[in-house]
Amino acid sequence: LLEPALDEFERAAARVTFRTPRLTLICNVTGQIARPEEVVTAAYWRRHARQPARFADALREMDGRGCGVFLEVGPHPTLLGLARQCVE
């Protein structure tokens, strides 16, 4: 379903001026810390849109790093309930 839109999505992302993040980012695709040089490419965001999320792994990585506050930005707090099941 998403596949037909990926080329256009990557072209649009290629027009974005990315900057190296100043904060540590956890990649939902791997559940690990994202390499700063990786997240500033359109190809990364294409993969990010297409591949399944490792939501629980990402939350455990953040929890293991001492993150105590999780903020969901979106129209509905869907992920907060799932997050409560992954971390204490």
Side-chain angles (χ1 to χ4, degrees):
L1 184 63
L2 183 61
E3 205 65 38
L6 288 177
D7 290 340
E8 181 58 30
F9 176 79
E10 187 171 1
R11 282 192 293 274
R15 293 190 299 268
V16 172
T17 302
F18 293 103
R19 301 272 190 257
T20 303
R22 292 185 280 170
L23 302 172
T24 300
L25 298 178
I26 306 296
C27 177
N28 275 344
V29 172
T30 65
Q32 305 284 321
I33 292 178
R35 294 187 326 269
E37 67 276 4
E38 178 182 38
V39 300
V40 296
T41 67
Y44 171 84
W45 293 105
R46 178 189 178 119
R47 285 190 312 275
H48 196 82
R50 178 64 184 100
Q51 294 178 345
R54 297 183 63 172
F55 183 70
D57 292 338
L59 282 169
R60 283 192 287 273
E61 177 70 24
M62 289 185 281
D63 186 48
R65 293 179 167 280
C67 295
V69 176
F70 299 88
L71 173 68
E72 179 175 1
V73 178
H76 303 287
T78 306
L79 298 175
L80 286 176
L82 294 172
R84 285 186 189 103
Q85 296 174 24
C86 297
V87 297
E88 296 181 19

